[in-house]
Amino acid sequence: KGKGPKGKKVTLKMAKNLIRVSFNGRRRLDLSKMGITTFPKCILDLADVEELDLSRNMLRKIPNTIEKFQNLLWLDLHSNQLDELPKAIGTLQNLTFLNVCNNKLTTKSLPEELTLLKNLRNLNLGLNCLESIPTTLGALKEITDLGLFDNTLTGIPKSVKKLPKLERLNVQRNPLPELTEEEEHGDTIKRIETLYLVQDKDLCSSCLKMCRGERDELHKLEDMTPSSSKKLSFPLLLTPNSSAKDNQEEWRVR
């Protein structure tokens, strides 16, 4: 008997019912959050989809049969237990988006064939166990967004830093010398004032607007709160009307 959880079994009929057409007209097979522990062989019959979501499962391995999905433009494998990627992933020449964030990948488990994905624009390798980044990733000339956050990186190759179309490089929470030096010599008060549970760039526009609004309200309350050294008292204060000032001291009294 095999060890470990068996996971949920996916049938071909079930997978067909989970295909959706996204806003851009692509056919997406969404098998996320299903407790899958092994790659479902039955979905090879649906290899003509443009998007495949296997995120937030318990997958330990992606087989080389992934090469059957030659139409794939978008592949999401984040939040599994992958400790390697198959060499066959390099055959997915149309792939523009690859998310393998939050797995157990090491530098050695990144196949050299990854550099064959010449159309790749968005690559997320964050939250893994990467000790270094292969200089060969500099061959991915179409990359615009590269996530390397939350690894154990001590350096970023020049070939990666100088990718011609790179717009966003996230290397947060790595033991990089430049980040460590910035933390040691930065303005402590300034850093405390701008401390958030998430960064602005990680929020969608509506959430960012809401958080900024709540932050502004807190600042207003701080400005309106009298200091402990000088507590003001207005026993004869009338209810302010339309001509009242924002400052209580300027409200009209008897």
Side-chain angles (χ1 to χ4, degrees), residues 8 10 22 34 43 76 79 81 98 124 127 154 160 165 171 212 238 241:
K8 185 172 183 177
V10 176
S22 59
M34 294 187 65
I43 67 173
D76 196 344
S79 302
Q81 299 179 30
L98 176 60
N124 192 343
L127 278 166
T154 56
V160 174
K165 297 185 180 181
V171 295
R212 284 177 174 171
L238 296 176
N241 54 25

Side-chain angles (χ1 to χ4, degrees), residues 122-140:
N122 189 309
L123 175 60
N124 192 343
L125 295 168
L127 278 166
N128 277 287
C129 308
L130 303 177
E131 310 89 2
S132 62
I133 296 299
T135 57
T136 51
L137 283 189
L140 301 176

Side-chain angles (χ1 to χ4, degrees), residues 14 51 87 125 142:
M14 183 189 304
E51 300 185 356
K87 292 182 178 181
L125 295 168
E142 296 298 315

Side-chain angles (χ1 to χ4, degrees), residues 87-126:
K87 292 182 178 181
I89 201 166
T91 66
L92 306 179
Q93 295 292 303
N94 293 315
L95 208 61
T96 62
F97 175 97
L98 176 60
N99 187 355
V100 290
C101 169
N102 194 23
N103 278 285
K104 299 179 180 181
L105 299 174
T106 64
T107 304
K108 292 181 179 180
S109 65
L110 294 181
E112 188 175 344
E113 287 76 8
L114 195 62
T115 61
L116 298 176
L117 302 177
K118 301 300 183 182
N119 291 308
L120 201 60
R121 298 175 187 172
N122 189 309
L123 175 60
N124 192 343
L125 295 168

Side-chain angles (χ1 to χ4, degrees), residues 76-89:
D76 196 344
L77 301 171
H78 86 266
S79 302
N80 277 284
Q81 299 179 30
L82 302 175
D83 55 14
E84 65 176 350
L85 293 178
K87 292 182 178 181
I89 201 166

Side-chain angles (χ1 to χ4, degrees), residues 183-233:
E183 290 175 358
E184 290 178 353
H185 301 289
D187 183 344
T188 305
I189 296 178
K190 182 178 180 180
R191 284 190 288 114
I192 291 176
E193 289 178 346
T194 56
L195 179 64
Y196 307 103
L197 293 178
V198 294
Q199 297 182 356
D200 288 358
K201 65 177 182 296
D202 296 324
L203 296 173
C204 64
S205 57
S206 58
C207 292
L208 181 59
K209 183 177 180 181
M210 179 184 69
C211 290
R212 284 177 174 171
E214 292 179 353
R215 185 174 59 192
D216 291 339
E217 289 297 320
L218 286 175
H219 288 166
K220 287 180 182 179
L221 288 174
E222 292 174 357
D223 294 338
M224 293 174 62
T225 303
S227 62
S228 57
S229 59
K230 184 180 178 181
K231 293 185 178 180
L232 301 177
S233 177

